[in-house]
Amino acid sequence: MSSNVLTAQTAPRRPARLWPIAMLPVSGIVAWAVNTGGEAIRWLLLGGVTWALAIPMLVSLEAGLVGMMLFEPLRGLLRRAQYLLVPYTQSDPIHIVTPVITIMGFALLLQRRRLLVFVETRLAKLVSLLGLIYFLQIFNPLQGGLAVGLSGALFILVPVAWFYFGQAIKPEFMPTALRLMAVIGVIASLYGLYHLAYGFPSFEQYWLDNTDAYQSISLGHIKRALATFSSAEEWGRYLEVGALAAFGFGATAANYRKRTAWFLCGAALIGMLLLTGQRTAMFGLVLGLIVLFAIGARSGRGAAARVLLILAPVLLIALLGKAPDNDDMLSHGDDERFQAVLSHSTRGAMRPTDEGSLQERFNIWSELATETIPHNPLGMGLGATSLAVKRFENGEELPPIDSYFISSVITAGLPAALLFMWILLRATFVSFRACRRADAGSADQKIWRVVTGIMSALILNSLFGNTFTLYSVAPIAWLLVGWIGAREMQTVGVALPGHPSFEEAA
């Protein structure tokens, strides 16, 4: 018997025999790309990243999602790092990597569950209708050519596929994903501290000198830190969701050690958030924390006390503190990046209505509401607000909108924008109701508290900000909504494939 086992262990496997055969063409391609340089290296690198993300998706849906969740926060850094080897290009193909894997995963999901995925839950019917509107808007001639519509689809329609992933994942995966965001947020932010302390490395400075797509990176006399993300806004939103998750898991932790660890993680994320200079993310965080802690109270009086406890220091600072003026922010030079960003954040948080950027935003929204939207109430096309209008059609791009809701009105029409907000509101209501109905201290109640806080912040960020077009945040937001939709069906006695109750999974 032992000799048989030994023979089985030492016998070479067929994949091992084929390995040299597979490596020969791969080695040849690598050598050709290195000798050719330029675009050959760029596509070789992108091909390698794509295959690295595709393999986990073939293993399981959850593994594929983890792979993309690890890639997305690094997309900005990898995009800039490629300029160590290749020249600058405006149409950076790195942006198609995640959409390709998302479409592949969605195709596998359709193969397994057929068209049922589009009507599997109550929220799925609404999201599928919204997705259909988005799809039709790709071909809207008002935006220009088809290339413009497809460009808009990459940032708006493709992330919607993550909603259907949220219906299909195991219930315990969503808490894992939120914990992963909190940890990644801390790690990725360390590179943001490097930006503030030492500035941008040469390859990132090369990108800054060539890009025309990020005018808001300037903050007085300095440049905003980006960490590993594509923009400071994306960094801020990612930290916002991660901080809410960290404080939520800390507030519901079973023992003192875990609670302390999660609270320290949340505090670190808040500190990093202040250095992003993203005021909308800060207000979203405050709203999310209020909902998170208030919903855990056993009575209305307890909820009010918790809200006052959170708002008290904020109000005291706003009333008694002195907000820095614009001259103070402009007085900081390139060697005072920390002071400049903190001045910007403090000023916007303490006196938000006095901010010139906020007034400018209101002026833009007013102009759009009175001139642009009335002429195109059914939308101008999915890419109408993107840079693709300028790059593919040489047209005049719209001013910065900084509101996903208003942007949706312009691109997909007022009915689609209202449908989108209704989906978020309904998902938030479902989360709140599920939390209140869950047994006190149960695993269900703990995760529903976190989810309700995050959903509340997402609603605010959709009115003030572009959360649902941010590379690393939009997919997670849709994943969360899909997960909520699947859990809602369980409360009415409908069991979805692969979805036991969370208590059973835990």
Side-chain angles (χ1 to χ4, degrees):
M1 178 177 177
S2 60
S3 60
N4 293 335
V5 174
L6 195 60
T7 303
Q9 289 178 342
T10 56
R13 298 180 179 179
R14 181 170 297 180
R17 295 175 181 175
L18 296 177
W19 184 252
I21 300 176
M23 286 303 297
L24 285 175
V26 172
S27 301
I29 293 174
V30 172
W32 169 78
V34 171
N35 291 328
T36 304
E39 291 300 316
I41 294 181
R42 191 194 312 275
W43 287 103
L44 176 66
L45 295 174
L46 290 176
V49 172
T50 304
W51 276 111
L53 295 179
I55 292 174
M57 183 63 75
L58 295 174
V59 174
S60 70
L61 175 60
E62 288 80 7
L65 296 179
V66 169
M68 287 188 283
M69 287 183 63
L70 293 174
F71 169 75
E72 280 303 318
L74 296 173
R75 186 201 292 207
L77 177 61
L78 294 175
R79 177 192 180 189
R80 300 187 291 271
Q82 69 175 322
Y83 299 127
L84 288 168
L85 303 172
V86 296
Y88 177 81
T89 176
Q90 286 187 337
S91 302
D92 201 326
I94 196 173
H95 296 313
I96 68 173
V97 172
T98 301
V100 166
I101 304 303
T102 298
I103 293 172
M104 184 186 77
F106 187 61
L108 294 174
L109 185 63
L110 281 178
Q111 183 183 19
R112 187 166 71 248
R113 298 196 181 183
R114 307 296 180 184
L115 298 180
L116 181 64
V117 298
F118 296 109
V119 293
E120 200 167 21
T121 65
R122 294 172 177 174
L123 281 174
K125 299 174 183 178
L126 300 176
V127 174
S128 297
L129 177 59
L130 180 65
L132 177 61
I133 296 174
Y134 284 166
F135 177 77
L136 294 176
Q137 288 292 349
I138 294 176
F139 309 97
N140 192 325
L142 296 178
Q143 66 193 334
L146 183 60
V148 178
L150 292 174
S151 177
L154 289 178
F155 304 106
I156 299 176
L157 179 59
V158 171
V160 177
W162 284 59
F163 169 86
Y164 302 101
F165 296 158
Q167 293 184 147
I169 58 176
K170 298 176 181 178
E172 65 270 21
F173 178 76
M174 197 67 237
T176 301
L178 294 176
R179 292 186 179 97
L180 185 62
M181 285 190 71
V183 175
I184 291 176
V186 173
I187 297 174
S189 295
L190 297 177
Y191 192 60
L193 296 180
Y194 175 86
H195 281 165
L196 291 172
Y198 302 103
F200 291 95
S202 58
F203 65 91
E204 292 186 297
Q205 188 61 49
Y206 171 77
W207 171 76
L208 288 173
D209 294 338
N210 287 275
T211 185
D212 60 348
Y214 196 8
Q215 299 177 355
S216 61
I217 192 173
S218 296
L219 192 63
H221 300 301
I222 71 164
K223 296 290 190 296
R224 298 176 187 265
L226 305 178
T228 62
F229 297 87
S230 297
S231 67
E233 182 181 14
E234 183 186 7
W235 183 22
R237 294 295 191 282
Y238 197 93
L239 294 181
E240 174 190 353
V241 176
L244 287 172
F247 278 106
F249 292 127
T252 58
N255 58 66
Y256 177 78
R257 182 176 300 178
K258 289 183 178 180
R259 181 172 300 180
T260 302
W262 278 119
F263 279 155
L264 288 176
C265 179
L269 291 170
I270 289 180
M272 302 294 187
L273 179 57
L274 294 174
L275 297 176
T276 66
Q278 295 297 312
R279 285 80 56 92
T280 302
M282 298 176 196
F283 287 112
L285 175 63
V286 172
L287 175 61
L289 288 176
I290 290 174
V291 173
L292 170 67
F293 287 103
I295 200 175
R298 298 182 178 179
S299 64
R301 182 178 298 179
R306 294 188 179 193
V307 171
L308 290 176
L309 186 63
I310 295 174
L311 289 180
V314 178
L315 294 176
L316 285 175
I317 294 175
L319 293 174
L320 303 179
K322 181 180 179 181
D325 55 23
N326 191 55
D327 293 336
D328 179 73
M329 186 185 68
L330 294 176
S331 65
H332 297 294
D334 194 54
D335 58 340
E336 298 177 312
R337 300 182 188 89
F338 283 96
Q339 296 89 326
V341 173
L342 289 175
S343 296
H344 177 73
S345 300
T346 305
R347 180 188 175 196
M350 294 178 62
R351 301 289 187 269
T353 58
D354 295 339
E355 277 291 280
S357 58
L358 180 62
Q359 298 300 327
E360 180 64 23
R361 190 179 304 176
F362 286 150
N363 292 335
I364 292 174
W365 293 350
S366 177
E367 182 179 351
L368 293 173
T370 56
E371 297 182 12
T372 304
I373 296 176
H375 291 87
N376 304 282
L378 297 181
M380 300 173 59
L382 212 58
T385 59
S386 68
L387 289 172
V389 174
K390 179 180 179 181
R391 291 179 176 174
F392 293 116
E393 297 295 325
N394 294 321
E396 183 178 353
E397 60 180 313
L398 293 171
I401 298 174
D402 293 325
S403 169
Y404 185 78
F405 173 75
I406 296 179
S407 178
S408 295
V409 176
I410 296 173
T411 57
L414 181 59
L418 293 176
L419 177 59
F420 167 76
M421 291 304 300
W422 174 248
I423 291 170
L424 293 191
L425 289 170
R426 179 171 175 77
T428 306
F429 172 74
V430 170
S431 305
F432 175 81
R433 182 179 60 185
C435 183
R436 300 302 295 178
R437 291 180 176 179
D439 295 334
S442 65
D444 265 332
Q445 188 193 52
K446 293 176 181 179
I447 187 59
W448 281 123
R449 283 182 63 184
V450 179
V451 169
T452 307
I454 293 176
M455 287 303 306
S456 302
L458 289 177
I459 291 176
L460 177 64
N461 293 157
S462 298
L463 297 174
F464 299 89
N466 297 302
T467 300
F468 278 82
T469 58
L470 300 176
Y471 305 134
S472 60
V473 182
I476 302 300
W478 281 117
L479 185 75
L480 186 60
V481 175
W483 183 86
I484 293 171
R487 298 296 309 285
E488 178 190 18
M489 298 305 292
Q490 296 166 21
T491 63
V492 296
V494 178
L496 301 181
H499 266 269
S501 69
F502 189 78
E503 291 286 359
E504 294 174 0

